[in-house]
Amino acid sequence: MKIVIRDLEIWYNSIKALSNISLEIVDGELTFVIGPNGAGKSTLLKAISLIVPPKWGVIYIDGRDVKLYSVRELAKTIAYVAPHISRSIPSTVLDYLMTARYPYTSFLQFKEDKTDLEVIDKVSRQMNIIHLLNRRLDQLSSGELQRVVIARALTQQPKIILLDEPSAFLDLRYRLEILEHIKNITRTENLITIIAIHDLYLASLYADKIILLSNGSIAACGNVEEVLKEEVIERIYGVRVELLEVKGKRIILPVEPLTLSTPQQNT
Amino acid sequence: MALELYRISMRRFLTVFSSLSIVLLFMFVLSLSVGSTMVNPIEVFNKLLHSLIYKAVNTLGIPHVLKPVIETDRVYSVATLRLGRTIAAISTGALLGVAGLLMQTATRNPLAEPYILGLSSTALTTIAIGIILVPNIMIHKWALTTIAFIGALLGFVLTILLSRLAGGTSISLVLSGIAINALFSGISHTLLYVVQNTIRMHYVFLLMGSTSTILLNDTIFLILPFAAGTTASLLLFKILNTFLYGDEYAKQFGYSPSLVLIIISAIASVLTASTVATVGIVGFVGLAAPHISRLLVGTDHRFSLPITAMIGAMITTIADVVVRIISLLSAGLGELPLGVITSTIGAPFLAYLIIKRMKGHEDSY
Ligand SMILES: Nc1ncnc2c1ncn2[C@@H]1O[C@H](COP(=O)(O)OP(=O)(O)OP(=O)(O)O)[C@@H](O)[C@H]1O
Ligand SMILES: [Mg+2]
């Protein structure tokens, strides 16, 4: 499986969010999207999951234009995990996870299938939320909720998983544990996994490929060594960084904001 | 674990459903028995059951030795006289409950309700305009319902637009609803006062809703929209369930948020319009019923839709009985409108929800 993006351009009314995006993303790899606030990371993920329509350009999944996929096919193929979900009328965690199986059931099926519930069971154990299934969404801690929304994506059993800021609220252990798990299933089930993240440390630990966005276009793209370079990060983020070597991996450490040259403004 | 929890919620639904059915039957019989002429509810129940069985075996052609119910029997005739208003009260509550639930899901706002968001008043306004333009429209109930539908839908759209201008938070939606409601209450009051002679009833009854003048034949204008609207909503339960978690979430399952919002609003408007056209404005039922139902069976619409309908029905049936008891006790002139009772119960409930909400975090929708 492969995603090919050609000359993608996205506008929100009069705001240009992405331009000139051409990419190829392959399966079995973790692709990380990084970049400053407002660079277009979320927009890129939403474009791939067809939540926002492109103004120009085409997205191909397995050589076929995504617009030619049926909605059911797409729902079985792609899961986008937003950093927030609406909880103003809070359901239970189980009710939430059950909706993730809808692409696999007929529209009018009223009774839940045993196999669907078993998938929920399996994923809930992996994400360690099995004890939360009966809890209401507004009664969870931020980190618990984050595991629940990731569990939703895995319950959907998609071929393409798009995670938007999956680690922001997780504690040290869960950050590693969940990314480790995502890496494993990406490898074993040949998924395409794209993760938008601010934590460059996690990116350097887990990324097979990194896409660095700045002001709506690709500033750098490649493997960790190619993208996480001192001068690139300093230029795009406007921070002074230091490089560390940990277990044979290059780790970027932000030290202080640069005051000499002002960082690039997003307008 | 998941399977077990699912079975438990299924069982809970069935338990709640059957308990509420019994309570509702009890209230139905009670409502037939209470009024200016009191009759014994147990007798009413026996006679009704008897006549039902008699009619059933007769139409099925089974040979039997049952005696027909004497139509002039005092208990039987008094009870059947109240059949129309009782069915009207039950359906009004069920309609408004389901309408409220749909509106709460569509706006993801637990404070949404046909009266609070102004749909009832705009429906009444278009009815009043209809009566002024075509005075004999009162006898064409379907036309009246259609006009009310247009009004309700316009009201919903107006409120949502106004609230989006005001930032689209849950409280701005309620405030916009109150503004629309106040404006169109004023307009409809005035218009209905002017045409009082044409409608040949005290206009207050339309403003605050009353079942006292409803005949058994009229109940079809409530029962049919209820059957259609609730069936449609039940068929859409997956869309409604995903809609709770946000527009982007629903979109991932292929449900276009704007299209879904239009469909749900249209169904909610049909449900509201039929009550306004036949009974008048009955407020707050659509607020309380979905909340109680979610407490009992959760947010899954397969479960919450039927339970909301039953709880709505119970609220209005009790209110309708209370109306009659008050008029008996005060030996007064005529009856209080039904909506007075539901507002008296419902408004404190709204206050409670607002307090609970303002203390918590403020979600936009
Ligand atoms: N719904 C929207 N309407 C209008 N403009 C938007 C909308 N969503 C995003 N934008 C704009 O598009 C640009 C890219 O936004 P995007 O959310 O993709 O950034 P991001 O890289 O995910 O940032 P962050 O790190 O803050 O999450 C920003 O300039 C943002 O202001
Ligand atoms: Mg973002």
Side-chain angles (χ1 to χ4, degrees):
Chain A
M1 178 156 263
K2 192 167 163 188
I3 300 178
V4 176
I5 300 174
R6 286 269 166 271
D7 302 321
L8 188 69
E9 185 167 321
I10 291 190
W11 290 69
Y12 293 107
N13 302 318
S14 59
I15 302 164
K16 183 153 84 176
L18 285 179
S19 61
N20 266 323
I21 304 285
S22 292
L23 280 172
E24 283 194 24
I25 300 163
V26 293
D27 58 12
E29 285 189 358
L30 292 187
T31 304
F32 278 66
V33 183
I34 60 171
N37 285 145
K41 303 180 294 296
S42 303
T43 306
L44 180 62
L45 301 193
K46 287 182 195 171
I48 296 172
S49 50
L50 259 75
I51 290 172
V52 296
K55 185 164 184 185
W56 303 110
V58 197
I59 298 169
Y60 301 95
I61 295 176
D62 269 349
R64 200 157 122 228
D65 188 341
V66 280
K67 288 194 197 117
L68 303 177
Y69 280 74
S70 73
V71 286
R72 182 174 280 263
E73 257 178 307
L74 273 179
K76 282 189 205 173
T77 310
I78 306 178
Y80 165 71
V81 179
H84 306 287
I85 54 166
S86 172
R87 295 189 283 168
S88 45
I89 299 180
S91 73
T92 63
V93 172
L94 179 62
D95 281 341
Y96 174 61
L97 294 180
M98 283 200 295
T99 61
R101 298 301 299 170
Y102 286 171
Y104 296 91
T105 58
S106 81
F107 186 70
L108 292 179
Q109 183 182 322
F110 266 64
K111 230 171 129 327
E112 231 47 58
D113 265 342
K114 204 164 160 250
T115 49
D116 291 329
L117 290 161
E118 280 164 2
V119 173
I120 294 177
D121 238 30
K122 198 183 89 194
V123 173
S124 307
R125 267 180 234 290
Q126 289 163 349
M127 289 288 114
N128 197 14
I129 54 163
I130 192 100
H131 59 294
L132 302 174
L133 285 182
N134 210 15
R135 211 70 90 68
R136 280 203 336 244
L137 290 174
D138 60 340
Q139 299 167 330
L140 302 176
S141 78
S142 308
E144 287 167 342
L145 182 69
Q146 196 138 40
R147 267 144 56 210
V148 168
V149 294
I150 295 171
R152 186 279 295 184
L154 299 179
T155 305
Q156 213 171 319
Q157 295 184 320
K159 309 275 186 322
I160 300 170
I161 297 186
L162 309 170
L163 300 174
D164 201 344
E165 313 271 1
S167 68
F169 294 110
L170 298 178
D171 67 29
L172 296 178
R173 184 180 166 84
Y174 276 123
R175 276 180 196 203
L176 301 176
E177 203 171 282
I178 284 175
L179 280 178
E180 197 77 39
H181 179 67
I182 303 247
K183 184 170 117 186
N184 286 340
I185 57 167
T186 303
R187 299 265 197 271
T188 52
E189 295 177 32
N190 264 325
L191 306 179
I192 294 181
T193 304
I194 309 176
I195 302 173
I197 207 162
H198 282 297
D199 191 334
L200 298 186
Y201 171 68
L202 287 176
S204 53
L205 273 190
Y206 289 102
D208 296 305
K209 208 172 154 198
I210 297 183
I211 299 163
L212 172 58
L213 290 181
S214 169
N215 281 332
S217 42
I218 299 174
C221 176
N223 59 29
V224 179
E225 287 72 31
E226 286 165 341
V227 178
L228 294 186
K229 288 194 201 127
E230 235 174 312
E231 72 273 12
V232 175
I233 301 301
E234 292 194 344
R235 178 166 51 86
I236 303 290
Y237 283 89
V239 290
R240 200 168 66 73
V241 299
E242 270 174 24
L243 281 178
L244 289 181
E245 193 82 22
V246 177
K247 286 167 79 182
K249 300 212 178 212
R250 237 170 359 144
I251 308 294
I252 293 268
L253 204 65
V255 181
E256 60 183 2
L258 281 178
T259 42
L260 297 177
S261 63
T262 45
Q264 293 187 352
Q265 289 298 316
N266 292 297
T267 40
Chain B
M1 183 73 182
L3 189 65
E4 216 171 280
L5 285 173
Y6 173 69
R7 289 213 175 110
I8 291 174
S9 59
M10 198 80 157
R11 232 176 289 138
R12 182 174 334 118
F13 168 70
L14 291 175
T15 316
V16 172
F17 186 84
S18 37
S19 329
L20 291 186
S21 305
I22 294 169
V23 176
L24 202 54
L25 179 68
F26 174 78
M27 288 181 172
F28 177 70
V29 174
L30 186 73
S31 167
L32 294 181
S33 319
V34 175
S36 50
T37 322
M38 289 285 191
V39 286
N40 184 346
I42 298 167
E43 255 182 87
V44 169
F45 181 73
N46 288 338
K47 295 247 157 78
L48 275 187
L49 194 66
H50 183 163
S51 109
L52 213 64
I53 295 173
Y54 181 81
K55 277 179 191 152
V57 287
N58 250 4
T59 43
L60 291 174
I62 304 167
H64 61 86
V65 289
L66 293 173
K67 291 198 196 79
V69 181
I70 308 141
E71 300 278 331
T72 52
D73 176 89
R74 192 184 74 95
V75 173
Y76 186 77
S77 56
V78 168
T80 43
L81 263 182
R82 294 188 188 128
L83 200 56
R85 76 175 297 168
T86 300
I87 293 178
I90 289 179
S91 348
T92 301
L95 280 158
L96 291 172
V98 173
L101 177 61
L102 292 176
M103 291 169 65
Q104 292 181 7
T105 300
T107 58
R108 284 176 218 111
N109 186 337
L111 302 178
E113 197 262 346
Y115 178 68
I116 297 175
L117 294 200
L119 281 74
S120 309
S121 309
T122 50
L124 195 59
T125 307
T126 48
I127 287 180
I129 295 173
I131 296 173
I132 289 174
L133 295 180
V134 189
N136 70 348
I137 200 162
M138 283 299 280
I139 46 173
H140 302 290
K141 265 281 155 63
W142 286 125
L144 207 60
T145 307
T146 311
I147 292 177
F149 164 68
I150 296 168
L153 196 57
L154 283 177
F156 201 4
V157 171
L158 267 178
T159 302
I160 286 184
L161 287 182
L162 190 59
S163 130
R164 292 212 169 150
L165 283 179
T169 62
S170 64
I171 296 299
S172 82
L173 183 73
V174 175
L175 292 177
S176 309
I178 291 171
I180 299 289
N181 193 6
L183 173 63
F184 286 94
S185 293
I187 297 178
S188 56
H189 281 217
T190 316
L191 293 179
L192 285 171
Y193 180 79
V194 171
V195 293
Q196 253 184 115
N197 287 335
T198 323
I199 54 179
R200 286 207 190 80
M201 73 194 271
H202 200 296
Y203 79 107
V204 166
F205 283 128
L206 266 177
L207 298 182
M208 294 298 286
S210 171
T211 54
S212 61
T213 55
I214 295 196
L215 306 171
L216 191 55
N217 285 340
D218 291 338
T219 55
I220 191 78
F221 301 107
L222 298 167
I223 293 173
L224 272 189
F226 172 73
T230 309
T231 313
S233 318
L234 269 175
L235 294 180
L236 300 178
F237 82 95
K238 286 190 174 166
I239 296 182
L240 293 169
N241 283 351
T242 55
F243 213 69
L244 281 182
Y245 309 110
D247 280 355
E248 285 182 356
Y249 191 77
K251 218 167 179 176
Q252 288 197 45
F253 294 89
Y255 311 135
S256 150
S258 42
L259 186 66
V260 173
L261 184 59
I262 292 170
I263 293 173
I264 303 181
S265 316
I267 299 176
S269 300
V270 169
L271 299 177
T272 309
S274 61
T275 67
V276 176
T278 308
V279 179
I281 292 181
V282 180
F284 295 101
V285 179
L287 181 71
H291 278 273
I292 299 170
S293 142
R294 278 195 292 261
L295 273 181
L296 293 174
V297 295
T299 55
D300 192 335
H301 289 81
R302 306 170 259 205
F303 302 147
S304 64
L305 275 166
I307 300 300
T308 302
M310 295 172 99
I311 290 172
M314 287 163 54
I315 295 173
T316 41
T317 312
I318 297 173
D320 198 39
V321 170
V322 169
V323 157
R324 277 174 271 163
I325 292 177
I326 291 178
S327 83
L328 268 184
L329 292 181
S330 63
L333 307 153
E335 280 179 9
L336 268 178
L338 177 61
V340 170
I341 306 295
T342 60
S343 296
T344 315
I345 310 169
F349 190 74
L350 172 67
Y352 161 73
L353 288 175
I354 290 179
I355 291 168
K356 207 176 106 185
R357 191 153 184 77
M358 290 304 253
K359 278 190 174 164
H361 60 108
E362 168 74 328
D363 258 334
S364 62
Y365 65 97

